[in-house]
Amino acid sequence: MSQTVDRALSILPLLAEGPADLGQVADRLGVHKSTALRLLRTLHEHGLVYRQSDQRYRLGARLFALAQEAMENLDIREIAHPHLVRLNEDCGHTVHLAVYEDDEVLYIDKVESRYPVRMYSRIGKPVAPTVAAVAKLLLADLPEAERRALAERLDYPQYTARSTLNATAFLRELEQARERGWATDLGGHEESINCVAAPIRGADGRVVAAMSISAPNVVVTAEELLTLLPLVRRTADEISGEYSGRAPVPHPSV
Amino acid sequence: MSQTVDRALSILPLLAEGPADLGQVADRLGVHKSTALRLLRTLHEHGLVYRQSDQRYRLGARLFALAQEAMENLDIREIAHPHLVRLNEDCGHTVHLAVYEDDEVLYIDKVESRYPVRMYSRIGKPVAPTVAAVAKLLLADLPEAERRALAERLDYPQYTARSTLNATAFLRELEQARERGWATDLGGHEESINCVAAPIRGADGRVVAAMSISAPNVVVTAEELLTLLPLVRRTADEISGEYSGRAPVPHPSV
DNA sequence: CTGGTGCGTTGCACATTTTGCAACGATCGT
DNA sequence: ACGATCGTTGCAAAATGTGCAACGCACCAG
């Protein structure tokens, strides 16, 4: 807990909301203007913050570069990508890859169903953890204590009538996902969108990532989407096998 | 210039190279392990750094989220995107959107080619400033003093036989780009890839971004690509108009 | 043209924060 | 089971960051 660094880093989410001038930053940090100035200067030297022509500050270019490099270093992503593309070619729907990290679930790769890509557009954005199919699989694999603590800590926004209601219901869903080895989100986030997801496991059997197929009701019904489940699970298992370094892996004995 | 913050931020590019343990971080920072530990802890609390299961550190999730939000707040990008998509539909090639910021040129949007052969580039990745067509336009608009200083400061890697040779040649290219209002990269970065680019201007006439079409020789020759120049320029002008506020935009006049 | 207001910026003295040390504890491999 | 390696903690010294007050500058109104 370094106070100075803590203050400096607090500026970043603040600027993520939009550009701000020195006074605003100082106010929201609760420090003197001169202090805020020095912090901003340091951030600026590192390219994390940019000073636009009207002298206001906003997030800087290096942030993109860093996020980019970080992404490239995720080897699950490297390995999985060709499989995701192939799955997309087979079924035509949107394919997602997600990981869990520090109370958050986030997409790290995506293959669009519609146009030839606009990659990284939503990649990196945190996912609604209580409803997303991939989130259920990732959280279901946490140690029980942590899982329960997290379930209590989360909010349960009612995006739709089918959204997960509360911690109890959520834990039940996680249990089911863990037993079955797959999960769904049937209109829990957006009324007309369904997903089916399968876990990707490392050599030790722990879930390291999860992938899903998403499609709107207008294209395929939930029942039709469920028929793709074997395809998703097979793809996930192939990725698991490759990630573990071994040849195609057997079914996790459940 | 805050020493503590400076050290903490220096950790980020270091971890961007790949995961590292505490000792490695401390060594490369030139500080004591306990110091590095506290810095890493602070970064961790802010989600910029993640501690993986083997206890090594790597860049964290919030970095993605921040980069994401920063991207969404760039209104040039918002405005330009549909135009880029349309241009891509018309010509089929890869379309890029780039901005200049603090000595760096970087892509902030991209629409992939419909052709199987795609060029390698990534949103958020810094662009080779001495050869890229978009870079020439962006740098050509800098004030003369700054432009010359920058030209001297840059390296001139000889990616190919056609890469810009040195500062003098570069400044000449910038001058030409400024006069013509467009620029090209004919095999200057990768032997077989050509680009044509046009500038996007704000209400005051300053160049705020640049866009380009890129295509490999095997798909279209440089001459053929140049025939698309009017299309690129028209699209760029449309975006300029909309960005400047005086154009068919959602909100009517007030 | 002039006086005033709001903003970013600088030098400085104080003290709070950070630092390196050394010792502890855990984990892993032999 | 033992030693080596790595992460972690408390503490005293001091280096660093902090707030203050004054300055410069641009913009606006009188």
Side-chain angles (χ1 to χ4, degrees), chain A:
Chain A
M1 310 155 136
S2 166
Q3 187 188 79
T4 317
V5 177
D6 186 58
R7 284 174 172 170
L9 297 182
S10 302
I11 294 177
L12 298 178
L14 196 154
L15 289 184
E17 297 170 15
D21 62 29
L22 180 61
Q24 295 172 320
V25 173
D27 280 351
R28 293 199 48 183
L29 275 186
V31 299
H32 195 92
K33 281 187 305 179
S34 59
T35 303
L37 179 67
R38 274 182 299 253
L39 297 176
L40 281 164
R41 271 223 259 263
T42 311
L43 289 168
H44 179 90
E45 276 170 23
H46 285 259
L48 296 182
V49 142
Y50 176 67
R51 192 152 202 197
Q52 43 188 29
S53 44
D54 61 353
Q55 288 214 117
R56 291 190 305 167
Y57 295 90
R58 64 170 168 73
L59 294 180
R62 182 126 314 136
L63 213 51
F64 303 89
L66 282 174
Q68 211 54 235
E69 291 189 64
M71 203 88 93
E72 288 175 10
N73 284 343
L74 293 178
D75 34 31
I76 314 112
R77 186 175 171 278
E78 290 292 311
I79 292 171
H81 190 74
H83 296 272
L84 305 185
V85 170
R86 194 154 38 78
L87 179 58
N88 168 267
E89 281 163 2
D90 289 351
C91 72
H93 302 302
T94 300
V95 178
H96 277 119
L97 180 70
V99 294
Y100 167 79
E101 180 181 319
D102 270 338
D103 284 18
E104 284 184 346
V105 174
L106 50 119
Y107 293 132
I108 58 172
D109 204 359
K110 173 187 186 182
V111 184
E112 289 268 12
S113 63
R114 298 180 278 197
Y115 336 100
V117 192
R118 172 176 162 185
M119 272 265 247
Y120 302 123
S121 58
R122 291 229 176 132
I123 295 178
K125 198 163 194 171
V127 181
T130 60
V131 295
V134 286
K136 292 173 193 168
L137 290 165
L138 291 165
L139 300 183
D141 192 58
L142 293 175
E144 171 153 3
E146 197 177 334
R147 196 191 332 151
R148 300 192 59 160
L150 178 58
E152 297 294 342
R153 210 182 312 142
L154 288 174
D155 288 331
Y156 293 85
Q158 299 301 300
Y159 305 105
T160 75
R162 294 174 169 196
S163 298
T164 306
L165 282 169
N166 51 41
T168 313
F170 187 50
L171 286 169
R172 208 180 309 128
E173 287 218 50
L174 295 190
E175 201 56 46
Q176 185 186 44
R178 200 154 56 96
E179 281 169 15
R180 297 196 300 202
W182 54 276
T184 61
D185 162 24
L186 302 175
H189 188 52
E190 305 215 22
E191 195 62 65
S192 61
I193 298 203
N194 303 311
C195 311
V196 297
I200 294 165
R201 299 171 191 276
D204 55 359
R206 293 280 314 270
V207 174
V208 295
M211 60 181 295
S212 68
I213 298 183
S214 310
N217 265 324
V218 295
V219 177
V220 289
T221 64
E223 288 74 32
E224 286 166 340
L225 190 60
L226 278 172
T227 64
L228 294 173
L229 181 57
L231 187 59
V232 181
R233 297 188 74 181
R234 185 155 15 106
T235 306
D237 288 346
E238 284 166 13
I239 299 171
S240 299
E242 205 171 314
Y243 182 69
S244 308
R246 294 192 305 261
V249 95
H251 283 285
S253 63
V254 178

Side-chain angles (χ1 to χ4, degrees), chain A residues 1-19 37-39 41-51 58-74 76-78 99-102 104 106-108 115-126 206, chain B residues 1-10 12-19 38-39 41-51 58-74 77-78 81 85 88-89 100-102 104 106 108-114 118 120-126:
Chain A
M1 310 155 136
S2 166
Q3 187 188 79
T4 317
V5 177
D6 186 58
R7 284 174 172 170
L9 297 182
S10 302
I11 294 177
L12 298 178
L14 196 154
L15 289 184
E17 297 170 15
L37 179 67
R38 274 182 299 253
L39 297 176
R41 271 223 259 263
T42 311
L43 289 168
H44 179 90
E45 276 170 23
H46 285 259
L48 296 182
V49 142
Y50 176 67
R51 192 152 202 197
R58 64 170 168 73
L59 294 180
R62 182 126 314 136
L63 213 51
F64 303 89
L66 282 174
Q68 211 54 235
E69 291 189 64
M71 203 88 93
E72 288 175 10
N73 284 343
L74 293 178
I76 314 112
R77 186 175 171 278
E78 290 292 311
V99 294
Y100 167 79
E101 180 181 319
D102 270 338
E104 284 184 346
L106 50 119
Y107 293 132
I108 58 172
Y115 336 100
V117 192
R118 172 176 162 185
M119 272 265 247
Y120 302 123
S121 58
R122 291 229 176 132
I123 295 178
K125 198 163 194 171
R206 293 280 314 270
Chain B
M1 315 145 132
S2 167
Q3 188 187 81
T4 316
V5 178
D6 186 58
R7 285 174 171 169
L9 297 182
S10 301
L12 298 179
L14 194 155
L15 289 184
E17 296 170 16
R38 273 181 297 252
L39 297 176
R41 270 223 259 261
T42 312
L43 289 167
H44 180 89
E45 277 171 21
H46 285 258
L48 296 181
V49 143
Y50 176 67
R51 193 153 202 195
R58 62 171 168 74
L59 295 180
R62 182 127 311 137
L63 212 52
F64 302 92
L66 282 173
Q68 203 53 48
E69 291 188 64
M71 201 88 95
E72 285 173 10
N73 284 344
L74 293 178
R77 187 174 173 277
E78 289 292 310
H81 190 74
V85 170
N88 167 268
E89 283 164 0
Y100 167 79
E101 180 180 317
D102 270 337
E104 283 184 347
L106 50 120
I108 57 172
D109 204 0
K110 174 186 185 182
V111 185
E112 288 271 10
S113 166
R114 290 202 302 257
R118 292 179 177 179
Y120 175 80
S121 73
R122 289 211 163 153
I123 297 179
K125 194 162 195 173

Side-chain angles (χ1 to χ4, degrees), chain B residues 27-236:
Chain B
D27 280 351
R28 293 198 49 182
L29 275 186
V31 299
H32 198 263
K33 282 187 303 180
S34 58
T35 305
L37 178 67
R38 273 181 297 252
L39 297 176
L40 281 164
R41 270 223 259 261
T42 312
L43 289 167
H44 180 89
E45 277 171 21
H46 285 258
L48 296 181
V49 143
Y50 176 67
R51 193 153 202 195
Q52 41 188 30
S53 44
D54 62 353
Q55 288 215 117
R56 290 190 306 166
Y57 295 91
R58 62 171 168 74
L59 295 180
R62 182 127 311 137
L63 212 52
F64 302 92
L66 282 173
Q68 203 53 48
E69 291 188 64
M71 201 88 95
E72 285 173 10
N73 284 344
L74 293 178
D75 33 31
I76 315 113
R77 187 174 173 277
E78 289 292 310
I79 292 170
H81 190 74
H83 295 271
L84 305 186
V85 170
R86 195 152 39 78
L87 179 58
N88 167 268
E89 283 164 0
D90 289 352
C91 73
H93 303 300
T94 300
V95 178
H96 277 118
L97 180 69
V99 294
Y100 167 79
E101 180 180 317
D102 270 337
D103 286 17
E104 283 184 347
V105 173
L106 50 120
Y107 294 130
I108 57 172
D109 204 0
K110 174 186 185 182
V111 185
E112 288 271 10
S113 166
R114 290 202 302 257
Y115 300 95
V117 206
R118 292 179 177 179
M119 73 177 281
Y120 175 80
S121 73
R122 289 211 163 153
I123 297 179
K125 194 162 195 173
V127 181
T130 61
V131 295
V134 287
K136 293 173 191 168
L137 290 165
L138 292 166
L139 300 184
D141 191 59
L142 293 176
E144 171 154 0
E146 197 178 334
R147 197 191 330 151
R148 300 192 59 160
L150 178 58
E152 297 294 342
R153 209 182 313 142
L154 288 174
D155 288 331
Y156 293 84
Q158 299 301 299
Y159 305 105
T160 76
R162 293 174 170 198
S163 298
T164 307
L165 281 169
N166 51 41
T168 314
F170 187 51
L171 286 169
R172 209 179 310 127
E173 287 218 51
L174 295 190
E175 201 56 46
Q176 187 185 43
R178 199 154 57 99
E179 282 168 15
R180 297 197 299 203
W182 54 276
T184 62
D185 162 24
L186 302 176
H189 187 53
E190 305 216 23
E191 197 61 66
S192 62
I193 297 202
N194 303 310
C195 311
V196 297
I200 295 166
R201 298 171 191 276
D204 55 359
R206 293 282 314 270
V207 174
V208 296
M211 61 180 294
S212 69
I213 298 183
S214 311
N217 265 323
V218 294
V219 177
V220 288
T221 65
E223 290 73 33
E224 287 167 339
L225 189 61
L226 278 172
T227 63
L228 294 173
L229 181 57
L231 187 57
V232 181
R233 298 188 71 181
R234 182 151 23 98
T235 306

